[in-house]
Amino acid sequence: MKSLLLLGMPIALAACAKAPDLVLEETLAPAANAQSQIRHVHGPSVLTGYTSRPVKGPEDWRKLNDEQSPAKQEES
């Protein structure tokens, strides 16, 4: 019985609450309004900073690690 009282109390209180005011149509869909000014913003390219590393045969892992190290790339 106590659990029903605990579960029913929030529902009863929510029924007494006032519904929020509706948002204006222009706020929800500015793209549908012909007078709105929409600016196209292009973000950075997806492949910015990409380094191609083709597949090779097995080599010494320390040599490969040194070649691909970001610290080595910053020095040059």
Side-chain angles (χ1 to χ4, degrees):
M1 185 68 182
K2 290 182 184 180
S3 63
L4 291 177
L5 182 65
L6 290 174
L7 294 174
M9 186 64 72
I11 294 173
L13 291 175
C16 298
K18 180 184 171 208
D21 295 331
L22 296 177
V23 181
L24 296 176
E25 185 178 307
E26 292 83 21
T27 307
L28 292 176
N33 187 353
Q35 290 136 357
S36 67
Q37 306 249 337
I38 298 175
R39 205 172 22 161
H40 296 284
V41 179
H42 299 287
S45 175
V46 177
L47 299 176
T48 301
Y50 172 74
T51 305
S52 176
R53 295 184 178 140
V55 178
K56 302 181 199 176
E59 293 183 25
D60 180 35
W61 68 270
R62 288 186 188 193
K63 178 183 166 199
L64 287 173
N65 192 24
D66 291 340
E67 288 176 357
Q68 296 179 0
S69 170
K72 181 182 178 190
Q73 293 174 359
E74 289 175 3
E75 291 173 2
S76 18

